[in-house]
């Protein structure tokens, strides 16, 4: 909030709609007229106006040089407020030293890069070092395919990879049990072959019959 800018706006001769919109922006801005990027919808709600009305007011205020807009792709517009020419448009376009130091542009989430290469440091490197050969390449490929298929967006793909490795460690005991369970199950291919052989022998009259064992003497020696 900039009380200084809001005081200047109150003294300006402007139509009511333009004045309230400019006041809403000044209320969001720093004393340098920067760090102001509310959405049109937010300004409309604060002013009690329709978004279309706010857009017309913003265009009129920019034409009168009370503000400068920087339309950023994929993000809300960045406003530079200089009501009544208190700051020239050219000077407003250049951020002050304090803004350069303090302002942090919002980070944007992105999809997993095509050339993603995980950084091996700390606990992640220690965990990967215990993997058998070829597993690292397989895990990276599986990691990338999984997130591409889901359309995952991440602010930090290295952090996502570290989380993937931690989960892989947690799943190791479960995977071991699953492998043992699968090995204990009958092989479906082998079972089918045995069934086919049995049916063929049955057709030839050679069905398996239990063989009679040697007769046991009723007399005990």
């Amino acid at each position: 909030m900039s009380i200084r800018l809001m005081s200047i706006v109150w003294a300006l001769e402007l139509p009511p709609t333009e004045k309230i919109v400019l006041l809403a922006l000044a209320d969001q801005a720093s004393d340098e007229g920067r760090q102001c990027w509310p959405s049109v919808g937010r300004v409309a709600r604060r002013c009690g106006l329709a978004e279309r009305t706010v857009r017309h007011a913003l265009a009129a205020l920019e034409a009168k040089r009370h503000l400068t807009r920087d339309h950023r792709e994929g993000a809300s517009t960045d406003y530079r407020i200089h009501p009544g020419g208190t700051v020239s448009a050219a000077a407003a376009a250049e951020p002050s030293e304090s803004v350069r130091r303090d302002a942090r542009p919002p980070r944007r989430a992105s999809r997993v890069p095509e050339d993603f290469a995980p950084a091996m440091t700390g606990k992640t490197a220690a965990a990967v070092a215990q993997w058998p050969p070829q597993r690292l390449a397989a895990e990276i490929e599986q990691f990338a395919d999984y997130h591409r298929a889901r359309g995952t967006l991440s602010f930090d793909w290295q952090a996502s990879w570290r989380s993937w490795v931690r989960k892989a460690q947690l799943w190791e005991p479960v995977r071991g049990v699953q492998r043992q369970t699968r090995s204990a199950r009958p092989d479906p291919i082998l079972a089918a072959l045995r069934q086919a052989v049995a049916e063929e022998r049955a057709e030839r009259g050679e069905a398996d019959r239990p063989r009679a064992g040697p007769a046991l003497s009723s007399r005990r020696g």
Side-chain angles (χ1 to χ4, degrees):
M1 170 187 282
S2 175
I3 300 298
R4 184 181 70 84
L5 290 179
M6 293 180 70
S7 299
I8 296 171
V9 174
W10 279 117
L12 293 176
E13 293 292 333
L14 289 172
T17 300
E18 296 176 18
K19 177 171 286 191
I20 193 171
V21 169
L22 191 55
L23 280 169
L25 294 176
D27 185 48
Q28 297 276 121
S30 64
D31 282 340
E32 294 88 356
R34 298 297 303 270
Q35 295 178 280
C36 180
W37 43 73
S39 65
V40 171
R42 177 176 174 80
V43 175
R45 288 191 297 271
R46 296 192 70 190
C47 297
L49 300 171
E51 292 188 13
R52 183 176 181 181
T53 303
V54 171
R55 290 191 181 93
H56 286 310
L58 291 171
L61 290 167
E62 188 172 30
K64 296 175 182 178
R65 301 184 180 279
H66 293 303
L67 60 83
T68 304
R69 291 184 289 180
D70 180 13
H71 299 281
R72 302 176 297 175
E73 184 177 357
S76 58
T77 301
D78 186 12
Y79 297 94
R80 302 172 180 88
I81 313 302
H82 37 88
T86 52
V87 181
S88 67
E94 291 296 328
S96 64
E97 185 62 30
S98 62
V99 171
R100 291 193 191 99
R101 183 177 60 253
D102 300 332
R104 297 291 184 270
R107 294 191 303 167
R108 298 181 185 178
S110 62
R111 301 186 187 278
V112 60
E114 292 294 334
D115 57 347
F116 175 74
M120 298 301 170
T121 58
K123 294 181 180 180
T124 302
V128 171
Q130 299 178 12
W131 288 355
Q134 309 302 323
R135 179 176 173 181
L136 175 58
E139 287 285 349
I140 294 174
E141 183 177 2
Q142 185 178 357
F143 170 82
D145 289 345
Y146 174 83
H147 288 294
R148 288 186 185 122
R150 293 172 63 89
T152 308
L153 296 176
S154 176
F155 290 101
D156 187 345
W157 280 108
Q158 294 296 340
S160 299
W161 166 254
R162 292 192 295 271
S163 176
W164 178 278
V165 173
R166 286 193 299 270
K167 290 179 181 178
Q169 289 180 286
L170 295 175
W171 275 93
E172 278 300 322
V174 178
R175 290 174 178 172
V177 172
Q178 290 176 341
R179 284 194 292 269
Q180 293 175 6
T181 304
R182 284 196 295 269
S183 63
R185 294 174 183 171
D187 188 339
I189 298 177
L190 182 59
L193 288 173
R194 288 175 176 171
Q195 179 67 23
V197 171
E199 292 175 356
E200 183 178 356
R201 294 182 65 183
E203 291 177 357
R204 295 202 305 262
E206 299 178 4
D208 291 337
R209 296 178 181 176
R211 295 182 180 181
L216 298 177
S217 173
S218 61
R219 298 172 58 185
R220 297 182 179 178

